[in-house]
Amino acid sequence: MFDSLGTRLQDVFKTLRGEFKLTPETIEVALREIRLALLEADVNFKVVKAFVDRVRDRAMDQQVLGSLSPSQQVVRIVRDEMVALFGNAEGGLQPTSKRPRVILLLGLQGAGKTTTAGKLGLWLAKQGRHPLLVSTDVKRPAAIQQLNVVAQKASLRVHDPAGQDTAGRLHIDDELMDELVAIKSVTEPSDLLYVADAMTGQDAIKSAGEFNRRVGVTGVVLTKLDGDARGGAALSVVSVVGVPIAFAGSGERLEDLEPFHPERVVSRVLGMGDVLSLIERAEAAIDVQDAERLEEKIRANEFTLEDFRNQLKTIRKMGPIEQIMGMLPGMGHLKSLAANKPDDKQITRIEAIINSMTPDERRKQHIINGSRRKRIARGSGTSVEEVNRLLKQFVQMQKMLKSLGGMTGLAGGGRKARRQAVDMLRNRR
């Protein structure tokens, strides 16, 4: 979502780092570029003006201008002010004593409410809750069936309503609001989440403000963050609507919904990475016992193509490769370079090649001769050149792992070190 904005801002900081000393003039030039970057990212113009004014006031401080690292000071100021745009909310659902907890999803038709219901239900189930999905859209064709399909895919319970309730709307009208007010009165929800399509930009923010005024909104769920390169909706919503962003959806998978963490998002935008989110994804995807078995195999120099395929599957559970790279500090520019841009299709082709091998071939790749390579290429729909390339890269990987075999902290064996890393990163926040 923030690729374009992040690239522009990082270019501004690179220019500042090239200055031996910052002056009011160089700061104004940088602020002009920051202003343009935010406006082009579809951030609300009032939000942009207030943001730039705050950055200017702090950057013009004599302590900043006279410091030994003025450019780093400006980066820190921009980071702090961007985090402030999102308020103090840490994302997710706020604590409540209401039982059962009722979550009402609001929003216009096509914003992604049905998919979000499934994603949110799955997220709650992973928290040890027992969600029940209820459709209140009985007038839109196949709406209830759509929710049933999503619920089945997520292994969630779903209730088919028998009465006539709310219908999908492409725009706000009084009838819609009256229906929502009636449902709110009956269900007494603890959470009223407005689901906004990030690709609609400021239109989504205006609609959220109207829903908040007429019905009341406790938080916002931004969907389709993977489909918009601007990001202005996210940076504007808290200031314009006055409610925090609770969740962000960044993919089509039901697992692609995360509590919104302002500091982590800003770090990604500014090219500083998001190591905490990366660690959390890894811990969710990696089975500790499997990781410990893998460590033993690496130590014994028994890492096979079968193990390699299983590791690829684990990586895919963490999400798209490009998203993962965006969480690594300093990788923001690299992942946007065409020559280095990761491609999930490449992983699919590698898996197809390995799956086309016999169990013996996966365990002992040295037996794969010319005729076997041709058979593997035909079976996987690839070329002999691709098979050769994979085998060559795998042999290189085996050599590297062999050299690391005596080191501690590999795979699951490094659980203590990983835990310490998480604690250290959280303390730094």
Side-chain angles (χ1 to χ4, degrees):
M1 179 184 184
F2 292 104
D3 283 354
S4 179
L5 175 60
T7 300
R8 289 286 301 272
L9 291 177
Q10 290 170 49
D11 286 343
V12 173
F13 299 146
K14 188 184 296 182
T15 302
L16 288 177
R17 282 192 289 270
E19 296 287 340
F20 177 73
K21 184 179 180 181
L22 290 187
T23 65
E25 290 73 25
T26 56
I27 289 178
E28 283 298 335
V29 171
L31 288 175
R32 189 180 307 119
E33 291 299 317
I34 292 174
R35 182 189 301 109
L36 287 173
L38 292 171
L39 290 174
E40 288 176 6
D42 198 28
V43 181
N44 181 277
F45 73 96
K46 293 181 180 178
V47 174
V48 173
K49 184 180 185 305
F51 175 84
V52 171
D53 287 345
R54 289 196 300 272
V55 173
R56 178 187 291 108
D57 290 343
R58 293 182 60 185
M60 291 295 188
D61 188 281
Q62 290 303 313
Q63 288 186 344
V64 174
L65 294 175
S67 69
L68 295 175
S69 56
S71 61
Q72 293 181 18
Q73 294 273 26
V74 174
V75 172
R76 182 176 61 82
I77 291 170
V78 171
R79 177 194 174 279
D80 291 347
E81 292 300 333
M82 287 187 73
V83 171
L85 285 178
F86 295 118
N88 297 320
E90 273 301 307
L93 299 175
Q94 301 306 309
T96 181
S97 58
K98 287 189 176 181
R99 293 290 184 273
R101 181 170 198 151
V102 178
I103 303 171
L104 185 60
L105 298 183
L106 314 167
L108 298 178
Q109 188 173 319
K113 295 188 299 298
T114 303
T115 304
T116 298
K119 290 181 175 182
L120 183 56
L122 182 61
W123 183 81
L124 287 166
K126 289 180 178 179
Q127 311 297 313
R129 309 292 180 85
H130 306 281
L132 170 67
L133 306 186
V134 181
S135 174
T136 59
D137 186 352
V138 297
K139 298 178 184 177
R140 186 164 57 91
I144 296 175
Q145 182 60 30
Q146 183 186 0
L147 185 66
N148 285 336
V149 171
V150 171
Q152 184 177 12
K153 189 176 179 182
S155 300
L156 299 172
R157 296 177 300 157
V158 63
H159 170 69
D160 285 356
Q164 295 288 307
D165 292 306
T166 72
R169 295 291 199 280
L170 294 173
H171 55 83
I172 297 173
D173 57 35
D174 289 335
E175 182 185 359
L176 168 65
M177 291 301 173
D178 290 343
E179 291 174 353
L180 291 177
V181 170
I183 289 181
K184 177 183 176 182
S185 176
V186 171
T187 61
E188 298 183 0
S190 56
D191 308 272
L192 294 98
L193 302 180
Y194 177 80
V195 181
D197 181 345
M199 296 179 69
T200 62
Q202 293 306 309
D203 289 339
I205 304 304
K206 292 177 183 176
S207 298
E210 186 63 16
F211 270 85
N212 191 33
R213 187 178 69 84
R214 303 281 292 273
V215 183
V217 174
T218 61
V220 172
V221 179
L222 281 177
T223 65
K224 306 176 188 176
L225 264 68
D226 55 325
D228 183 23
R230 296 183 300 173
L235 289 170
S236 304
V237 66
V238 175
S239 299
V240 175
V241 184
V243 296
I245 301 173
F247 293 93
S250 57
E252 297 180 358
R253 304 181 312 156
L254 287 172
E255 295 84 3
D256 292 335
L257 182 76
E258 297 178 347
F260 190 82
H261 298 290
E263 290 187 354
R264 302 185 189 185
V265 172
V266 172
S267 289
R268 287 189 219 179
V269 173
L270 301 183
M272 300 173 183
D274 181 4
V275 179
L276 272 178
S277 291
L278 183 61
I279 291 174
E280 288 174 357
R281 286 198 187 191
E283 289 183 329
I286 295 172
D287 181 274
V288 174
Q289 291 183 342
D290 289 343
E292 289 175 343
R293 282 194 292 268
L294 176 63
E295 180 184 6
E296 292 302 319
K297 298 191 75 172
I298 291 174
R299 288 178 183 275
N301 194 27
E302 296 175 354
F303 186 74
T304 67
L305 281 163
E306 206 159 59
D307 299 320
F308 180 48
R309 181 191 59 183
N310 293 337
Q311 291 307 298
L312 291 177
K313 290 180 179 178
T314 298
I315 291 172
R316 296 188 75 161
K317 288 180 184 177
M318 294 171 62
I321 298 298
E322 194 168 356
Q323 278 188 18
I324 295 172
M325 286 191 70
M327 295 179 184
L328 296 172
M331 296 296 283
H333 280 302
L334 178 61
K335 76 186 185 73
S336 64
L337 297 175
N340 297 289
K341 190 173 182 179
D343 186 355
D344 286 282
K345 292 181 180 178
Q346 293 175 6
I347 293 183
T348 301
R349 295 176 75 82
I350 291 173
E351 288 181 338
I353 292 172
I354 299 176
N355 288 336
S356 295
M357 297 176 184
T358 65
D360 264 357
E361 290 168 344
R362 288 196 288 267
R363 288 191 292 268
K364 298 173 286 188
Q365 82 281 351
H366 59 272
I367 69 172
I368 304 177
N369 55 24
S371 60
R372 288 174 184 259
R373 295 178 191 221
K374 290 179 182 178
R375 190 204 77 241
I376 293 168
R378 286 196 303 271
S380 59
T382 60
S383 65
V384 174
E385 288 76 14
E386 287 178 277
V387 176
N388 290 338
R389 190 183 309 122
L390 170 61
L391 291 173
K392 182 179 179 181
Q393 291 172 343
F394 179 72
V395 170
Q396 292 173 342
M397 183 188 302
Q398 275 188 319
K399 291 178 180 178
M400 180 189 71
L401 291 175
K402 183 179 180 180
S403 67
L404 295 173
M407 295 174 62
T408 59
L410 291 173
R415 280 179 294 168
K416 182 178 179 182
R418 187 167 65 245
R419 192 72 263 155
Q420 290 174 340
V422 174
D423 292 341
M424 181 183 71
L425 286 164
R426 284 179 174 151
N427 289 336
R428 285 181 61 185
R429 293 174 58 205

